[in-house]
């Protein structure tokens, strides 16, 4: 261990480990501190990766149960949840090992234990057992991520009342699953368990699902989820859960108050958001400032108010997304190494990995209206896309919003098959300041789902071909 590291990163989620790798590439002697027993943070251990494995596996189960016969494949699928959970764990293990490898390859020291900043440049690392180790560093990046937001009066036991962490670990398909919160976690994990046989009801405080997502896309997506069998109670709140009986009894009231009703469930998933995680970091001692929502306050260079202490990822403001954390990690490492790191917050894609997927980048119609920006809209449904028709995956549409005066792409929103992959051409167009015409004039391979993006771009100028 060197006397002083150039950089110590606390937390090894996608923000922290990527920051460490970039710093090592730039020649900084770097270490990471992680209090879990494995690297990779929320995303790799209990977030993005295991949820995507279960979404993939449960989608395959649903296809085998309902779609295969239409394709001419006769099977009688039987769910083996234990093996499905093992499949998920294999994906997690593979990814976590990958981060181990990256640390070794880049000669980054890994210190397991909880990191506490005792003074600027000084960190103490406490393992579960034994004495704390003291580490010194010229620069510290805090990348401690986020934790589950709790609902007052509802205690999460991770067995019957679960957060996303418990919902990824269920050993039995619940007969009835009540989801609190129609956000990303509620809809992704609600989809997993519905596909595997649960009767799923989602209770949402607001009068719409997926706040922040383009309203037209969200409405269409809700209709598709309802068609699949998911039930929604919008404009409603859970005010308490009676856990005394064999089944849980949740009391639900209209958000604005009124007559209560009871919904019974075997499992309740609390998915009402996540909160920044700063516990035990010693921020009070060193005087690092937080904002009104408990996030670490940072300047344009990810600097906190204390010299040499930076913060990135879920623990600071902005969307709580792995790729946002990664890009901030790269930018912070570059800034610390004296380069010009930068993240374009106007072009951070957002994907929901359900079936169909939902993906968006840039501004929504609601945001453009609120900002008084004149825009044109081009839409194209997957029902008119050759590949979608061939695969019988025709749900959804592509919507492109372009500046009315300049045709510059301002936002792209997709609900449909592989939306998460399709969105990247929109992101790249926006990074280059491109126009709808640029997408429309780019030759897209046939037959691909990406032709729906091209057609939506043509539709901005009212000249879609296949409509
Ligand atoms: P984290 O990944 O939370 O990592 C922080 C790390 O810091 C943790 O390992 C923690 O143990 C460690 N730590 C905390 N305090 C200390 C300390 N004092 N000392 C040492 N170590 C410490 N995002 C997407 O973009 N796509 C998805 O598909 C997606 N799916 C998700 C699914 C679920 C169920 C959940 C819960 C989240 C999902 N997210 C997804 C969000 C994503 O996981 C986060 O945005 C991302 O992990 C944030 O990265 P981070 O590096 O800021 O923090
Ligand atoms: P979220 O912020 O996406 O959704 C929470 C939902 O709960 C909102 O619709 C909100 O209005 C509602 N809500 C809040 N309080 C409520 C109450 N008392 N009763 C009923 N509804 C209530 O949060 P979620 O789904 O927990 O996810 C947390 C974070 O994790 C998200 O910010 C997301 O960025 C990230 N994530 C990303 C994924 C992805 O990129 N595919 C997947 C899963 C999580």
């Amino acid at each position: 261990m060197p006397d002083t590291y150039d950089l110590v990163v606390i937390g090894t989620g996608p923000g922290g480990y990527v920051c460490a790798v970039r710093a090592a590439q730039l020649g900084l002697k770097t270490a990471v501190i992680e209090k879990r027993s494995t690297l990779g943070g929320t995303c790799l251990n209990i977030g993005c990766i295991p949820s995507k494995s279960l979404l993939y596996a449960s989608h395959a189960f649903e296809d085998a149960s309902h779609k295969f016969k239409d394709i001419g494949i006769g099977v009688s699928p039987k769910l083996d949840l234990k093996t499905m959970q093992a499949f998920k764990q294999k994906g997690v293990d593979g990814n976590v090992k990958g981060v181990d490898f990256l640390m070794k390859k880049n000669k980054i020291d890994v210190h397991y234990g909880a990191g506490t900043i005792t003074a600027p440049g000084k960190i103490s690392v406490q393992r579960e057992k034994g004495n704390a180790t003291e580490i010194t560093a010229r620069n510290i990046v805090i990348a401690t991520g986020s934790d589950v937001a709790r609902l007052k009066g509802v205690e999460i036991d991770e067995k019957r009342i679960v957060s996303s962490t418990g919902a990824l670990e269920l050993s039995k398909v619940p007969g009835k699953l009540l989801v609190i919160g129609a956000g990303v976690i509620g809809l992704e994990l609600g989809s997993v368990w519905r596909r595997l046989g649960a009767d799923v009801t989602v209770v949402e405080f607001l009068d719409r699902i997926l706040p922040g997502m383009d309203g037209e896309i969200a409405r269409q997506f809700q209709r598709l989820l309802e068609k699949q069998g998911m039930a929604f109670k919008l404009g409603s709140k859970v005010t308490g859960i009676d856990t005394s009986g064999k089944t849980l009894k949740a009391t639900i009231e209209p958000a604005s108050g009124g007559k209560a009703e009871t919904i019974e469930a075997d499992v309740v998933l609390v998915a009402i958001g996540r909160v920044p995680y700063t516990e035990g970091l010693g921020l009070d001692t060193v005087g690092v400032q937080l904002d009104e929502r408990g996030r670490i306050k940072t300047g344009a260079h990810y600097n906190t108010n204390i010299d040499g202490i930076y913060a990135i990822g879920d623990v600071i403001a902005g969307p709580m997304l792995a790729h946002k954390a990664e890009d901030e990690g790269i930018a912070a490492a570059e800034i610390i190494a004296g380069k010009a790191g930068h993240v374009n917050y106007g072009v951070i894609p957002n994907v929901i990995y359900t079936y169909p997927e939902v993906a968006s980048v840039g501004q929504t119609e609601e945001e453009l209206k609120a900002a008084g920006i004149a825009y044109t809209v081009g839409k194209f449904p997957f029902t008119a896309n050759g590949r979608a028709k061939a695969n019988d995956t025709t749900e959804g549409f592509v919507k492109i919003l372009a500046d009315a005066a300049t045709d510059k792409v301002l936002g792209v929103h997709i609900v449909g098959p592989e939306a998460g992959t399709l969105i990247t051409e929109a992101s790249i167009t926006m990074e280059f300041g491109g126009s709808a015409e640029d997408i429309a004039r780019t030759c897209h391979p046939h037959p691909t789902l990406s032709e729906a993006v091209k057609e939506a771009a043509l539709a901005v100028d009212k000249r879609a071909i296949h409509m």
Side-chain angles (χ1 to χ4, degrees):
M1 185 167 93
D3 287 344
T4 300
Y5 287 103
D6 294 317
L7 172 64
V8 168
V9 183
I10 309 179
T12 64
Y17 86 75
V18 169
C19 180
V21 170
R22 183 69 186 121
Q25 286 176 344
L26 292 169
L28 303 186
K29 183 59 202 155
T30 304
V32 292
I33 303 174
E34 175 54 59
K35 71 175 187 176
R36 296 181 75 90
S37 58
T38 50
L39 305 179
T42 303
C43 179
L44 273 60
N45 291 281
I46 51 166
C48 326
I49 296 298
S51 59
K52 265 74 265 181
S53 281
L54 287 184
L55 279 157
Y56 172 79
S58 59
H59 185 60
F61 180 71
E62 183 155 79
D63 266 0
S65 307
H66 303 294
K67 190 165 178 182
F68 278 16
K69 66 175 188 316
D70 300 336
I71 304 176
I73 305 170
V75 289
S76 311
K78 193 168 152 287
L79 178 65
D80 173 356
L81 186 54
K82 208 168 156 205
T83 302
M84 195 177 278
Q85 289 288 19
F87 166 80
K88 174 202 79 184
Q89 196 53 44
K90 196 170 147 227
V92 169
D93 294 346
N95 275 281
V96 163
K97 275 197 200 112
V99 180
D100 273 332
F101 164 78
L102 291 175
M103 296 299 104
K104 288 192 186 98
K105 184 185 166 211
N106 289 284
K107 301 191 172 47
I108 296 163
D109 289 347
V110 177
H111 299 271
Y112 284 100
T116 302
I117 307 173
T118 50
K122 295 204 181 326
I123 310 138
S124 127
V125 184
Q126 181 63 60
R127 275 176 172 270
E128 258 179 50
K129 286 182 194 142
N131 293 333
T133 316
E134 305 299 326
I135 298 179
T136 56
R138 287 184 190 90
N139 300 283
I140 298 172
V141 169
I142 301 170
T144 48
S146 60
D147 191 15
V148 174
R150 317 270 153 174
L151 184 58
K152 215 168 146 227
V154 175
E155 198 170 325
I156 293 172
D157 61 14
E158 298 295 11
K159 293 206 159 50
R160 293 208 295 168
I161 302 182
V162 297
S163 70
S164 53
T165 307
L168 290 165
E169 292 294 330
L170 299 178
S171 55
K172 198 173 144 219
V173 179
K176 284 191 174 156
L177 173 67
L178 180 68
V179 177
I180 310 177
V184 197
I185 292 181
L187 301 182
E188 285 191 353
L189 295 181
S191 288
V192 164
W193 294 107
R194 184 205 55 72
R195 293 167 185 171
L196 300 181
D199 190 352
V200 177
T201 302
V202 184
V203 178
E204 165 59 47
F205 189 80
L206 301 175
D207 60 2
R208 57 163 293 171
I209 68 167
L210 293 175
M213 190 64 83
D214 187 272
E216 186 184 13
I217 294 276
R219 280 191 299 279
Q220 166 93 341
F221 183 47
Q222 184 183 337
R223 278 195 291 274
L224 292 170
L225 291 174
E226 281 169 341
K227 224 170 108 194
Q228 294 169 7
M230 205 181 268
F232 289 91
K233 284 194 98 45
L234 303 183
S236 303
K237 60 182 177 193
V238 171
T239 52
I241 301 175
D242 177 357
T243 57
S244 59
K246 209 163 160 266
T247 52
L248 301 164
K249 291 190 177 64
T251 307
I252 295 169
E253 283 178 20
S256 49
K259 202 166 165 284
E261 63 170 311
T262 303
I263 294 189
E264 296 201 6
D266 301 291
V267 173
V268 173
L269 164 59
V270 180
I272 58 164
R274 291 180 64 83
V275 289
Y277 184 77
T278 54
E279 211 180 292
L281 268 176
L283 300 187
D284 280 354
T285 322
V286 280
V288 171
Q289 281 174 1
L290 304 182
D291 70 11
E292 71 295 345
R293 288 166 65 182
R295 302 173 295 198
I296 295 178
K297 264 193 193 171
T298 49
H301 288 165
Y302 306 101
N303 52 303
T304 68
N305 60 311
I306 304 293
D307 270 358
I309 304 183
Y310 300 79
I312 56 164
D314 278 13
V315 79
I316 70 169
M320 287 183 167
L321 295 171
H323 40 284
K324 176 258 192 190
E326 286 187 39
D327 285 4
E328 288 180 343
I330 290 172
E334 290 177 346
I335 288 164
I336 291 168
K339 294 187 173 293
H342 172 72
V343 175
N344 179 0
Y345 289 95
V347 186
I348 296 194
N350 204 335
V351 179
I352 304 165
Y353 297 85
T354 42
Y355 184 81
E357 291 183 345
V358 182
S360 70
V361 63
Q363 297 177 85
T364 63
E365 271 204 80
E366 291 79 6
E367 284 167 345
L368 292 174
K369 276 186 192 140
I373 298 169
Y375 61 92
T376 42
V377 188
K379 288 189 232 173
F380 192 80
F382 284 100
T383 43
N385 172 270
R387 186 65 178 276
K389 269 199 260 201
N391 293 352
D392 192 20
T393 55
T394 52
E395 296 94 342
F397 64 101
V398 179
K399 169 170 166 176
I400 296 184
L401 305 171
D403 188 288
T406 65
D407 195 39
K408 185 176 174 181
V409 176
L410 301 175
V412 176
H413 308 277
I414 308 174
V415 53
E418 295 179 39
T421 305
L422 297 177
I423 203 70
T424 300
E425 77 165 285
S427 303
I428 293 175
T429 305
M430 289 177 69
E431 278 291 354
F432 280 85
S435 62
E437 185 73 10
D438 288 325
I439 299 178
R441 289 199 176 270
T442 302
C443 188
H444 285 63
H446 177 76
T448 61
L449 297 168
S450 74
E451 288 169 291
V453 180
K454 174 181 172 165
E455 291 273 8
L458 284 164
V460 169
D461 190 38
K462 299 188 176 46
R463 51 181 226 266
I465 299 293
H466 291 89
M467 276 297 284

